[in-house]
Amino acid sequence: MQFVEVKGRKVPALGFGTYGLDGDEAERMVRTALDIGYRHIDTARSYGNEAAVGRALRRSGVARDEIFLTTKVWHDSLAYEAVLSSVEASLRDLDTDRVDLLLVHWPNRAVPLAATLHAFEDLRDEGKVGAIGVSNFPVALLREAVEEIGADLLCDQVEYHPLLSQTPVLGYLRRHGMMLTAYSPLAQGRVANNPVLAEVGHRHGKSPAQAALRWLLDQPGVAAIPKSGSERRARENFEVFDFTLTDRDRREIDRLQGDGRLVNPGWAPDWDAS
Ligand code: NDP
C-alpha cells in the first residue's frame, strides 16, 4: 500500500468507495475489500449504508485502528446542532467511537460555514473525529474555510479522473499542505472504454482502470476511492502497485484532461474552470 502523508498523518492512498452499495451487498463488498487489502473506506450519512459498513468492519477481524474510515455530513444537516446529531447517528450505525475523517459532503450557502466547521472542530477536540475536511469545495470556498475561518482541514474530496482536470483545486490544496481525495476516479466506469487508457494499460499488461488509478496515485497529495460491487473489479483496482507509468504514458493521459464532470447536482457550487 502507498500512503499520502498529510499533516503528520499517513492515509492509505487507495480507498474503497461505497456509494450505491446497500445492505448485504455493502457488507459483503466492504468485507471483500478489507480481505483484498484495502484499509481506507469511504462512506457518508446520505449513503444509508453505515450500519452495513459497520458490520463489515466488525466482522472482518481487521483491527479498527488499521482502517482509515471516512464519513460525511449531508448538506441539510450543517447547522451546529444538526452536525452533532448527524455524527452521533453515524457513530452509532458504524458501531465505532470515532471516524478518522469527517467531511462536509456538499457546501450549503444557507448555513454559515463557520458554524459548521465549529461543530466539526468540537467533534475533533472530543476525539469523535480524527480529522476534518470538506468535499465538493471549489477554491473560493476552500479559501473561506482555511484563510478566513482558519479551519485546519485535511482534505477536499472532489471528482477527479483522467477526463476531468482539477488544476485550480489541486494547486490550492498543495500550497496549503492538504490532500485531494479523488472521487469517481474511474469516471463512474467510463475509463474502461477510453482507447488511450486502454493503450497505456496494454503496454503494462494492465487494464484502462488500472492505468487511470496509477495516474492519479502518482500525483503527490492525491488519494483515490474507486467503488466496485464486484470482487473481481475491486481486486483489479487494488492491483496498481506493481507497475510504473512512463513519462510518455503520463503525457498521453494528461492530454485527456478536460471538462468531463459527471457529478453536478442542482445544489452544486460554482465550480472552478477546468
Ligand atoms: P467510480 O469512478 O469509482 O466508478 C464506479 C463504477 O465503475 C461502477 O459502475 C463500477 O461497476 C465500475 N467499475 C469499478 N471498477 C471497475 C473496473 N476495474 N473496470 C471497469 N469498471 C469498473 O465512481 P463512484 O461515483 O462510485 O465514485 C467512487 C466513490 O467516491 C463513491 O463510491 C463514493 O464513496 C465517493 N463519491 C463521493 C462523492 C461526493 O460527493 N463526495 C460523489 C460521488 C462519489 P461495478 O460496481 O459493477 O464494478
Side-chain angles (χ1 to χ4, degrees):
M1 175 53 71
Q2 177 184 323
F3 294 87
V4 176
E5 296 200 14
V6 53
K7 300 199 174 194
R9 287 163 203 274
K10 282 177 76 176
V11 179
L14 183 67
F16 186 73
T18 66
Y19 177 67
L21 295 173
D22 304 313
D24 289 347
E25 191 193 17
E27 180 179 341
R28 180 177 56 79
M29 281 313 303
V30 172
R31 280 199 67 171
T32 300
L34 291 168
D35 286 345
I36 290 170
Y38 289 85
R39 289 294 179 269
H40 171 170
I41 306 291
D42 183 83
T43 182
R45 188 77 198 130
S46 70
Y47 297 171
N49 62 15
E50 288 174 313
V53 171
R55 281 195 301 280
L57 298 185
R58 203 172 51 252
R59 293 175 182 172
S60 69
V62 179
R64 173 67 189 85
D65 63 7
E66 283 183 27
I67 300 166
F68 187 86
L69 177 61
T70 300
T71 196
K72 318 185 190 84
V73 179
W74 193 235
H75 61 83
D76 64 358
S77 306
L78 295 180
Y80 185 92
E81 291 295 337
V83 169
L84 302 189
S85 306
S86 176
V87 172
E88 279 312 313
S90 287
L91 293 176
R92 184 196 62 223
D93 285 356
L94 287 164
D95 194 16
T96 187
D97 54 6
R98 106 200 118 77
V99 291
D100 299 284
L101 178 61
L102 182 70
L103 302 180
V104 176
H105 202 150
W106 287 90
N108 178 352
R109 274 317 192 180
V111 181
L113 183 55
T116 304
L117 293 175
H118 185 201
F120 273 50
E121 285 165 346
D122 285 352
L123 288 161
R124 189 181 54 197
D125 293 346
E126 282 177 57
K128 292 181 175 170
V129 160
I132 63 174
V134 295
S135 178
N136 296 301
F137 271 39
V139 169
L141 281 169
L142 282 173
R143 216 175 258 141
E144 182 179 336
V146 172
E147 293 168 53
E148 291 174 33
I149 299 170
D152 185 14
L153 303 179
L154 194 76
C155 83
D156 190 6
Q157 182 181 120
V158 293
E159 180 177 345
Y160 188 34
H161 47 71
L163 311 178
L164 175 64
S165 160
Q166 284 287 11
T167 305
V169 169
L170 193 50
Y172 186 91
L173 295 173
R174 289 213 177 115
R175 284 194 297 281
H176 292 268
M178 294 163 62
M179 173 171 78
L180 187 155
T181 304
Y183 79 62
S184 304
L186 305 175
Q188 299 184 336
R190 285 166 180 76
V191 298
N193 304 318
N194 184 282
V196 172
L197 291 164
E199 172 58 30
V200 170
H202 181 70
R203 281 183 213 138
H204 300 276
K206 292 287 181 180
S207 71
Q210 289 170 320
L213 291 171
R214 189 64 261 164
W215 175 83
L216 284 167
L217 298 178
D218 276 346
Q219 301 177 41
V222 174
I225 49 169
K227 168 262 173 188
S228 181
S230 124
E231 176 173 353
R232 184 177 64 74
R233 284 186 292 278
R235 197 174 290 284
E236 175 183 328
N237 297 340
F238 196 77
E239 288 172 355
V240 293
F241 300 107
D242 57 353
F243 74 110
T244 314
L245 296 178
T246 63
D247 289 346
R248 174 186 165 204
D249 297 332
R250 262 189 229 107
R251 273 197 307 275
E252 288 179 7
I253 301 177
D254 286 346
R255 280 201 285 273
L256 298 174
Q257 285 275 273
D259 190 17
R261 189 181 296 280
L262 299 166
V263 181
N264 198 12
W267 57 82
D270 291 335
W271 303 113
D272 297 293
S274 45

